């Protein structure tokens, strides 16, 4: 059966996009634990792509406002297509007119743990995604601690909420989406990367 992300590959023309294609290898910084990334993406609308490694692919959600560290903030997360693991290290500019055209930075990265591993019965993250309720503990450079993803349905059942759990990492005073804009890969902000691209085009 065709993997879901094969469809993404077909939508893209890899002579025109710098994206890594269907590379299935995990990025060099991945350890034994499953990984997660948050990619800021300025396309037709600015959003943050939240991706977690599940069964050899990156399960993905687009979060218009990005993740919050405040448990009272429920962030809308729209389920999008699975991406290949190699995508976790991508940042750069996708040509306008191409699928996802715009600029991407690696806003955060790290590993995560399944918080329902020790539950009785234990539940894999893959099962939790199917059931629409995911409990994970993130260890990123900007965001960390327990997060819940809860499916609320909505249009085509793709609407979820990402909510910070109440734990030591919760902090209503932080707002890393606006105060920590630099990429964890290049140190550049999305506007700086766009600026470089514009200069190249002149
Ligand atoms: Mn996106």
């Amino acid at each position: 059966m065709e993997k879901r992300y094969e469809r993404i590959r077909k939508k893209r023309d890899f002579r025109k996009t710098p994206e890594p294609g269907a590379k299935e290898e995990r990025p060099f910084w991945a350890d034994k634990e499953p990984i997660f990334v948050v990619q800021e993406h300025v396309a037709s609308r600015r959003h943050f792509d939240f991706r977690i490694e599940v069964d050899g692919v990156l399960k993905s959600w687009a979060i218009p406002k990005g993740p919050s560290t405040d448990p009272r903030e429920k962030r809308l997360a729209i389920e999008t297509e699975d991406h290949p693991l190699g995508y976790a290290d991508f940042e750069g500019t996708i040509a306008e007119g191409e699928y996802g055209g715009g600029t991407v930075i690696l806003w955060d990265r790290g590993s995560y743990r399944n918080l329902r591993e020790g539950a009785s019965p234990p539940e894999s993250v893959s099962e939790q995604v199917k059931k629409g309720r995911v409990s994970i503990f993130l260890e990123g450079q900007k965001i960390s601690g327990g997060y819940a993803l809860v499916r609320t349905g909505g249009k085509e059942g793709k609407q979820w909420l990402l909510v910070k759990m109440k734990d030591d990492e919760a902090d209503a005073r932080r707002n890393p989406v606006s105060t920590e804009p630099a990429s964890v890969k290049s140190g550049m902000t999305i506007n700086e990367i766009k600026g470089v691209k514009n200069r190249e085009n002149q």
Side-chain angles (χ1 to χ4, degrees):
M1 203 185 92
E2 169 178 270
K3 282 192 177 148
R4 279 174 69 198
Y5 63 72
E6 292 292 323
R7 294 207 307 268
I8 298 178
R9 185 161 63 168
K10 285 173 187 157
K11 283 182 191 171
R12 293 182 169 129
D13 180 343
F14 285 100
R15 287 162 301 179
K16 291 183 188 159
T17 173
E19 294 166 288
K23 215 172 137 217
E24 297 189 36
E25 299 100 82
R26 305 174 77 223
F28 71 92
W29 47 266
D31 208 343
K32 283 185 206 124
E33 303 291 315
I35 59 163
F36 86 95
V37 293
V38 182
Q39 284 160 317
E40 185 181 1
H41 185 186
V42 175
S44 46
R45 286 193 183 174
R46 177 181 186 239
H47 59 272
F48 290 78
D49 289 300
F50 181 72
R51 312 187 196 277
I52 60 175
E53 179 181 2
V54 182
D55 296 342
V57 297
L58 293 169
K59 290 275 165 202
S60 301
W61 291 262
I63 306 180
K65 290 185 174 175
S68 177
T69 54
D70 181 352
R72 291 169 305 182
E73 284 276 330
K74 295 181 170 67
R75 293 284 159 92
L76 175 67
I78 310 293
E79 192 179 337
T80 56
E81 287 175 293
D82 295 351
H83 276 55
L85 280 174
Y87 204 86
D89 209 40
F90 174 69
E91 75 176 30
T93 297
I94 307 163
E96 248 170 75
E98 293 301 305
Y99 179 73
T103 304
V104 175
I105 63 164
L106 192 52
W107 185 81
D108 201 8
R109 67 181 166 202
S111 60
Y112 78 88
R113 285 188 285 117
N114 172 9
L115 287 174
R116 297 196 55 78
E117 210 164 40
S120 58
E123 236 178 28
S124 70
V125 172
S126 163
E127 287 170 318
Q128 293 178 57
V129 170
K130 282 188 198 102
K131 286 185 180 169
R133 201 172 186 96
V134 180
S135 299
I136 51 180
F137 190 95
L138 305 178
E139 293 181 71
Q141 292 173 236
K142 294 177 184 172
I143 58 169
S144 54
Y147 276 84
L149 269 161
V150 182
R151 183 161 52 217
T152 59
K155 205 176 151 214
E156 296 168 23
K158 296 199 180 296
Q159 212 161 291
W160 297 60
L161 293 171
L162 177 70
V163 191
K164 179 77 197 76
M165 291 178 188
K166 288 179 187 160
D167 59 21
D168 288 348
E169 313 296 330
D171 190 346
R173 293 159 306 179
R174 278 186 72 209
N175 186 12
V177 160
S178 54
T179 61
E180 297 171 50
S183 159
V184 295
K185 181 177 179 177
S186 62
M188 291 169 85
T189 65
I190 205 156
N191 287 334
E192 284 166 348
I193 294 212
K194 278 164 79 182
V196 167
K197 194 68 193 170
N198 290 341
R199 281 196 297 278
E200 279 171 4
N201 291 341
Q202 274 168 12

